[in-house]
Amino acid sequence: FEAASHEIVRRGMDYLCRAPQNISNTVWAYGVVGVKPPAFISMIESLMMEGGTYYSRLTEVQPLTKSSRAQLAMMVISLHRLGLHDCAWRLFDRIAADGLQAGGEAYCNWLLICGATGNIKREIDVWEQMALTSHTRGLQAGVWNCVIIRCLAAGDTKRALLALQVLDNERLCTPMSEHLRQRV
């Protein structure tokens, strides 16, 4: 893996950027074995933080294809395993800003990062993005309820009230929503 990383760095990221799957698979492999060659890690970090072609090619077809959602999920968990949490969150922030549905696997991986790092604010961000991009009204209602539950656990009543307001505005209130409203 060390020798391969030197060759990847030597050739540059454009060599892998022909297809986002090349980058996703490569980063996934390094994440699985836990090998962190400094020059390779630095190159991946630059690619993720500066934008670059990976994200634009990954998201060029919208809504995201099944393959793109799988690549995104692979990338998120791999960045976590390589200690590049900021890069994983950069991907999340771009997906959220573009209003894209990342897919259950990617959302689960971001939630895993939240659990591993104890970042409840980011956890709520993930739940909110899931709610905003859910494909059915029933799922939206359930996920907004999760947002409220996690807001209450974090002591963030302002954000819980905002989530309740969304439920009211979208006519998504459920018996659980009404139960949570009494706890806010």
Side-chain angles (χ1 to χ4, degrees):
F1 275 86
E2 291 284 339
S5 74
H6 293 302
E7 186 62 18
I8 293 167
V9 171
R10 185 186 71 75
R11 290 185 184 201
M13 197 47 72
D14 288 339
Y15 173 72
L16 287 178
C17 280
R18 293 181 188 143
Q21 187 169 358
N22 295 343
I23 297 171
S24 299
N25 289 345
T26 302
V27 174
W28 178 81
Y30 281 87
V32 166
V33 296
V35 175
K36 304 174 186 178
F40 175 75
I41 294 297
S42 179
M43 188 170 77
I44 295 300
E45 191 169 23
S46 293
L47 174 75
M48 293 295 126
M49 298 308 277
E50 294 169 9
T53 57
Y54 174 75
Y55 182 81
S56 61
R57 289 202 176 137
L58 181 71
T59 60
E60 66 189 357
V61 175
Q62 295 182 16
L64 297 180
T65 64
K66 182 178 181 180
S67 176
S68 293
R69 289 190 312 269
Q71 292 169 49
L72 178 61
M74 286 171 50
M75 183 62 84
V76 170
I77 194 65
S78 300
L79 291 169
H80 166 66
R81 289 174 177 159
L82 294 170
L84 298 172
H85 301 117
D86 289 343
C87 295
W89 290 117
R90 173 79 171 134
L91 278 174
F92 175 82
D93 291 338
R94 292 188 75 186
I95 289 287
D98 290 343
L100 297 175
Q101 213 284 351
E105 295 86 358
Y107 289 134
C108 284
N109 290 338
W110 279 309
L111 289 172
L112 179 129
I113 294 170
C114 293
T117 60
N119 192 336
I120 196 164
K121 186 227 177 276
R122 278 301 201 170
E123 178 187 345
I124 297 167
D125 293 343
V126 174
W127 286 112
E128 281 184 348
Q129 181 64 16
M130 289 171 62
L132 290 168
T133 60
S134 293
H135 295 297
T136 66
R137 292 179 57 75
L139 185 56
Q140 281 182 315
V143 179
W144 279 115
N145 286 334
C146 290
V147 170
I148 297 165
I149 290 167
R150 297 310 292 152
C151 287
L152 292 174
D156 191 345
T157 55
K158 181 179 179 185
R159 201 165 177 183
L161 288 170
L162 290 172
L164 278 167
Q165 187 63 51
V166 170
L167 285 169
D168 290 338
N169 292 346
E170 298 297 322
R171 299 181 189 267
L172 293 170
C173 284
T174 65
M176 174 59 83
S177 310
E178 296 306 332
H179 172 75
L180 293 170
R181 185 185 312 275
Q182 294 174 8
R183 296 189 62 205
V184 176

